[in-house]
Structures are given as structure tokens and as C-alpha cells.
């Protein structure tokens, strides 16, 4: 670095600014350290399946599931806003029930024989 008047002035200004900054920092109260953010909790409950996932798992078409929802048939579902979801545990129970065979339903007209 050359000792020109401009270089000497820049060095003097830098030193003055450095000293001024250090003086201001000495007056400022130290900031308490920020508490660490707790880790995100993970949800370990049953999965909420989409109709597409249920269709893949059961082999029934997504449209069939939609038709059943309208008719009140098929696996139990719930809505989150306009999104349809199926509880995985309840779906598995429904599938197990299907594998056990059809459940006989009482005849609607008691005067007609069941043959």
C-alpha cells in the first residue's frame, strides 16, 4: 500500500469507524441466545389415504368408490374440506370383513320368502 495522502486518509477513516462501531457495540446489551426450535413432532397414527390410494389397495376403481360414497356404501370415509380421505385402519378392517364373505342382510319385505 502506498503512503499517498488519500491512502492515509482511508486508513484513518477505517480506524475511526472501527473504533466507533466497537464503542457502540460495547454499549448495547448482549442479546440472549435464541432458544433452539423444538423438533417437529411426527404423526404416528393411521394414514389418511386418498381415493386413488384406496383404489390401488382394494382393486376397486376410484369411480366405483365415488359412486359408493354417494350411495352410502363402501368403506367409511371422511372429508377435510372438499378432500376425501379414508382411515387406513378402518379400511383394512373393511377389507378383512369383505374377505370373510358377504354379511347376510335381513329381507326388506317380511312377507316375501328368502329363498
Amino acid at each position: 500500500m502506498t503512503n499517498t495522502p488519500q491512502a492515509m486518509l482511508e486508513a484513518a477513516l477505517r480506524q475511526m469507524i472501527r473504533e466507533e462501531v466497537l464503542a457502540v457495540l460495547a454499549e448495547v446489551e448482549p442479546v440472549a441466545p435464541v432458544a433452539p426450535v423444538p423438533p417437529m413432532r411426527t404423526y404416528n397414527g393411521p394414514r389418511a389415504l386418498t381415493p386413488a390410494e384406496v383404489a390401488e389397495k382394494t382393486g376397486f376403481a376410484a369411480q366405483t368408490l365415488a359412486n359408493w360414497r354417494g350411495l352410502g356404501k363402501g368403506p367409511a370415509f371422511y372429508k377435510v374440506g372438499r378432500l376425501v380421505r379414508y382411515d387406513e385402519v378402518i379400511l383394512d378392517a373393511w377389507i378383512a370383513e369383505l374377505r370373510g364373505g358377504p354379511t347376510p342382510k335381513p329381507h326388506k319385505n317380511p312377507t316375501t320368502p328368502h329363498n
Side-chain angles (χ1 to χ4, degrees):
M1 182 158 115
T2 58
N3 287 334
T4 64
Q6 184 177 353
M8 291 173 33
L9 180 60
E10 285 178 11
L13 285 173
R14 283 193 185 112
Q15 182 61 32
M16 287 173 46
I17 292 172
R18 187 177 302 116
E19 289 171 0
E20 188 66 30
V21 168
L22 290 174
V24 169
L25 288 177
E27 294 173 6
V28 175
E29 290 184 28
V31 177
V34 177
V37 177
M40 290 184 60
R41 295 185 339 194
T42 56
Y43 178 69
N44 295 327
R47 286 188 46 223
L49 303 175
T50 65
E53 291 170 321
V54 173
E56 184 177 324
K57 186 170 185 167
T58 62
F60 293 112
Q63 185 58 51
T64 299
L65 295 169
N67 292 342
W68 285 349
R69 287 193 302 271
L71 296 171
K73 298 181 177 184
F77 69 95
Y78 60 94
K79 292 184 95 173
V80 180
R82 59 185 193 148
L83 302 175
V84 174
R85 294 293 182 260
Y86 294 85
D87 184 287
E88 188 173 34
V89 172
I90 295 172
L91 178 68
D92 290 341
W94 181 79
I95 292 169
E97 184 181 315
L98 284 181
R99 288 183 180 150
T103 306
K105 294 184 180 178
H107 198 274
K108 291 185 180 181
N109 186 349
T111 59
T112 308
H114 292 303
N115 300 354

